[in-house]
């Protein structure tokens, strides 16, 4: 969401099996901007005391996968990489990064966060506390449908990225061992977030690759779940008017599909909540990318004095 450019993600999803969010029972396709905003409200108000993190993708066919998992997939028809394969690659990358001179006094979790922010494939999945930020990402670009993901993390353990200098590997090993034992993910909260992470209210969702099934379209992330709520219950949850009967009792995971034709309208509404490209990507890299994409208005060009004619500046 915040690390990979959107076109990189789109290239990565080529050839993936369609997650079929709506037919799989975990997703609902809204038809208007009003319904999109109402869906967020209904999710957070479904049950008191529940906590959610959010993720958005401008391509609704993108599966929920970490960049590390994607990097290890050679053939989509083959079984997904196992936790052993993920861990082997992860430990090798961390080792070589320290040999490179990176993260010499950082925990494995801190080094993983640092590498992730610079585009190195990791098992971390970008999420945000702010559903409006995730909705902006779901509508960021393209004419095709996007998708907004909600993850219930009420009982999910959370770790910061500090650690013991004497045992830098312990924080990540511990988080993964607990995840493998419980079959649940964990959250990683950066202790010194940069401007982009602060603006996006970002953190990371991760976990040991599950041995059993996950919701359709979710790969390599352990999500405790039972049967999906199904289309009818989700339709009742997101219906206009007062909340009626037939809603799901809880919602561990949900995919809200945003049609391409309302993306621009939603982005315009989100400016009222200070969600725009300059606030979501407030750093120099964000400006660089916006400039390259033609999203920075440079016209009309200002009147200037050419350097060869700027005699006043020479005198100064």
């Amino acid at each position: 969401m915040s690390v990979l450019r959107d076109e990189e993600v789109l290239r990565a999803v080529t050839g993936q099996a369609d997650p079929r969010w709506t037919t799989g029972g975990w997703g609902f396709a809204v038809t208007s901007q009003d319904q999109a905003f109402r869906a967020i409200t209904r999710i957070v108000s479904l049950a008191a005391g529940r906590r959610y993190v959010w993720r958005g993708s401008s391509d609704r066919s993108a599966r929920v996968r970490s960049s590390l998992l994607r990097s290890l997939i050679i053939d989509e028809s083959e079984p997904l990489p196992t936790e052993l394969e993920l861990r082997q690659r992860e430990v090798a990358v961390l080792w070589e990064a320290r040999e490179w001179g990176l993260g010499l006094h950082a925990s494995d979790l801190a080094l993983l966060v640092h590498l992730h922010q610079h585009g190195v494939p990791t098992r971390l999945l970008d999420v945000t506390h702010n559903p409006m930020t995730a909705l902006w990402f779901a509508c960021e670009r393209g004419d095709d449908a996007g998708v907004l993901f909600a993850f219930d993390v009420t009982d999910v353990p959370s770790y910061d990225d500090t650690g013991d200098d004497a045992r830098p590997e312990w924080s990540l090993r511990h988080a993964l061992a607990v995840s493998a034992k419980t079959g649940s993910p964990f959250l990683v909260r950066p202790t010194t977030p940069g401007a982009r992470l602060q603006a996006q209210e970002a953190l990371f969702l991760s976990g040991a690759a599950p041995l059993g099934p996950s919701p359709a379209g979710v790969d390599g992330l352990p999500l405790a779940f039972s049967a999906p709520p199904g289309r009818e219950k989700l339709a009742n949850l997101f219906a206009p008017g007062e909340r009626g009967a037939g809603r799901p009792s809880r919602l561990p995971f949900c995919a809200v599909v945003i049609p391409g034709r309302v993306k621009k309208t939603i982005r315009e509404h989100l400016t009222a909540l200070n969600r725009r490209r300059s606030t979501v990507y407030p750093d120099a890299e964000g400006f660089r990318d916006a400039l390259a994409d033609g999203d920075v208005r440079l016209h009309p060009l200002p009147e200037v004095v050419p350097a060869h004619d700027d005699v006043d500046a020479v005198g100064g």
Side-chain angles (χ1 to χ4, degrees), residues 16-29 59-64 147 149 215-219 228 230-231 234 253-257:
Q16 290 182 13
D18 192 324
R20 302 187 184 280
W21 299 117
T22 55
T23 57
W26 290 103
F28 182 81
D59 181 0
R60 68 127 195 103
S61 65
R63 301 173 70 86
V64 177
V147 60
F149 300 111
V218 178
D219 300 325
R231 185 180 301 179
L234 290 177
F253 169 74
C254 187
V256 180
V257 177

Side-chain angles (χ1 to χ4, degrees), residues 38-173:
R38 184 167 63 245
I40 292 172
T41 303
R42 292 295 174 81
I43 290 172
V44 299
S45 64
L46 177 61
R50 309 305 296 182
R51 293 187 302 113
Y52 296 88
V53 293
W54 308 79
R55 177 177 173 84
S57 171
S58 60
D59 181 0
R60 68 127 195 103
S61 65
R63 301 173 70 86
V64 177
R65 287 177 172 175
S66 71
S67 55
L68 178 60
L69 185 76
R70 286 199 303 267
S71 72
L72 293 177
I73 295 174
I74 298 174
D75 188 336
E76 288 287 341
S77 65
E78 296 294 325
L80 291 173
T82 64
E83 174 59 29
L84 174 61
E85 293 169 315
L86 291 169
R87 187 66 178 141
Q88 286 176 325
R89 176 62 69 90
E90 182 173 68
V91 170
V93 167
L94 290 170
W95 173 271
E96 291 299 332
R98 288 197 169 94
E99 288 292 301
W100 200 272
L102 302 174
L104 297 181
H105 302 289
S107 70
D108 278 7
L109 269 178
L111 181 52
L112 210 62
V113 168
H114 179 69
L115 294 174
H116 182 79
Q117 291 178 77
H118 290 276
V120 176
T122 74
R123 69 167 73 229
L124 303 178
L125 195 70
D126 299 275
V127 293
T128 174
H129 287 297
N130 192 331
M132 297 307 163
T133 298
L135 181 60
W136 188 90
F137 280 115
C139 301
E140 180 178 6
R141 63 180 71 230
D143 298 323
D144 296 327
V147 60
L148 170 70
F149 300 111
F151 303 87
D152 186 335
V153 294
T154 305
D155 302 314
V156 168
S158 176
Y159 305 94
D160 61 33
D161 55 6
T162 59
D164 184 354
D165 285 353
R167 304 179 69 187
E169 82 288 347
W170 177 251
S171 58
L172 180 56
R173 282 182 57 195

